[in-house]
Amino acid sequence: MDIRQKVKDAKRIVIKIGSSSITHSETGELHLSKIEKLIRQIADLKGAGKEVVLVSSGAIATGRHSLGINEKPSTLSEKQALAAIGQARLIMEYRKLFSEYNLRIAQILMTKSTITNDIYRENAKATFTQLLAYGAVPIVNENDTISTYEIQFGDNDRLSALVSALVEADLLILLSDIDGLYTDDPNTNKDAEFISFVEDVDKYMDMGKSTSKSGLGTGGMYTKLLAAQIATNSGCDMVIASAENMSIIENIANGEEIGTYFPAKSNKDFNWLNCLEE
């Protein structure tokens, strides 16, 4: 069987999109044409009978632009206030664009306790299950406005993996500003080699710690490798790929060899809840 046949057969898909992928780098304003293309891809997946959960960053970046603030906020209160302003704008744009494809959305804002508290976690899982049964597209973000665990999910990389584990997803597509995993940072080392397949993510964890972070997002390659640990050990395939062209979602879902593929494992001893403490 082709190594990515499982990806092609995935029925429940989580897609993660970062701040830098849905905003203009020059201004910080929402990149509406890219968001529209993202939604079109999701609509096509839905049309093919797939269930889709979208984990979207961008609240703080959107709040910054709304207030004309160019610098990244330095205090927790600033981040939380900007998130409150930006999240309202972000979900408004999502609702407007999704409605053009006759798709319903639902907003879910999560905190650390949503995962760690047994009752909250089961309630959240039940809510996701019902929303997917209704045919809605849950749009997930961390509840930055009240969560002091804020941003430590790693630009929602880890959050998307935790959501994948929670909803028992078949595939996590982690869209980034790079096209996958390399042997070194390709921005600083021209000899860095692309890695298309990673069977054992643990071997690459130290390498991931050396990657840099962007001005809009907070996650580097290390947080993406942490996400791969969670997703694969909980039984979910994962692909890291570039968000430059949103049509890549369809290519990945069709099983094409794009991005870096992390196949799911069967690890009954792995407790993905422990990953919150990394």
Side-chain angles (χ1 to χ4, degrees):
M1 184 179 75
D2 182 80
I3 198 169
R4 295 209 188 192
Q5 183 62 43
K6 282 176 66 226
V7 172
K8 188 175 181 179
D9 294 339
K11 298 298 184 185
R12 182 169 292 179
I13 301 173
V14 175
I15 299 172
K16 182 266 176 179
I17 191 77
S19 301
S20 60
S21 299
I22 58 170
T23 55
H24 289 280
S25 59
E26 300 84 359
T27 64
E29 173 63 300
L30 287 174
H31 200 316
L32 295 178
S33 65
K34 284 190 73 174
I35 295 174
E36 195 276 335
K37 292 174 184 176
L38 167 67
I39 292 169
R40 187 188 310 160
Q41 292 290 303
I42 293 174
D44 280 340
L45 290 176
K46 293 281 292 174
K50 313 284 190 181
E51 296 176 328
V52 181
V53 177
L54 176 63
V55 177
S56 174
S57 303
I60 294 176
T62 302
R64 281 167 55 190
H65 181 268
S66 297
L67 296 180
I69 298 173
N70 295 321
E71 302 80 15
K72 289 189 73 172
S74 58
T75 68
L76 182 60
S77 60
E78 288 175 313
K79 294 175 183 178
Q80 292 177 314
L82 289 172
I85 293 170
Q87 187 65 35
R89 165 86 191 283
L90 187 62
I91 203 68
M92 179 186 71
E93 294 295 346
Y94 273 131
R95 180 182 179 185
K96 181 170 61 177
L97 292 171
F98 268 103
S99 67
E100 294 180 5
Y101 294 89
N102 198 30
L103 290 176
R104 296 181 180 87
I105 66 168
Q107 179 177 242
I108 297 182
L109 299 177
M110 300 176 67
T111 64
K112 181 180 179 181
S113 61
T114 309
I115 301 296
T116 58
N117 182 285
D118 292 345
I119 295 176
Y120 293 170
R121 185 174 65 255
E122 289 305 311
N123 287 342
K125 183 175 182 177
T127 299
F128 273 111
T129 300
Q130 191 61 61
L131 286 170
L132 293 172
Y134 283 150
V137 177
I139 299 179
V140 185
N141 198 356
E142 186 178 1
N143 194 338
D144 298 330
T145 302
I146 65 171
S147 173
T148 55
Y149 190 65
E150 195 270 89
I151 302 305
Q152 294 182 29
F153 277 124
D155 195 28
N156 282 345
D157 292 328
R158 200 183 323 186
L159 176 60
S160 66
L162 292 167
V163 168
S164 298
L166 182 67
V167 305
E168 299 177 354
D170 303 306
L171 172 65
L172 169 60
I173 299 176
L174 210 161
L175 297 177
S176 177
D177 53 3
I178 61 172
D179 52 1
L181 180 65
Y182 285 80
T183 55
D184 197 2
D185 187 344
N187 295 313
T188 58
N189 182 358
K190 65 179 182 179
D191 295 323
E193 297 180 2
F194 183 73
I195 303 170
S196 63
F197 177 75
V198 175
E199 187 169 14
D200 186 1
V201 67
D202 295 341
K203 295 180 179 179
Y204 293 89
M205 296 307 297
D206 288 339
M207 182 183 70
K209 293 179 180 179
S210 65
T211 57
S212 60
K213 299 178 180 181
S214 71
L216 286 172
T218 62
M221 184 52 69
Y222 183 62
T223 64
K224 293 167 179 55
L225 292 173
L226 284 174
Q229 277 189 325
I230 298 168
T232 57
N233 279 286
S234 62
C236 178
D237 289 333
M238 177 174 140
V239 175
I240 299 175
S242 171
E244 182 65 27
N245 185 349
M246 291 298 175
S247 63
I248 201 170
I249 295 172
E250 179 182 6
N251 300 135
I252 293 170
N254 285 335
E256 296 180 28
E257 191 171 330
I258 294 173
T260 300
Y261 172 47
F262 301 80
K265 301 177 181 179
S266 178
N267 188 353
K268 295 180 180 179
D269 297 325
F270 182 79
N271 185 351
W272 53 273
L273 297 177
N274 293 336
C275 296
L276 284 162
E277 305 303 329
E278 288 289 339

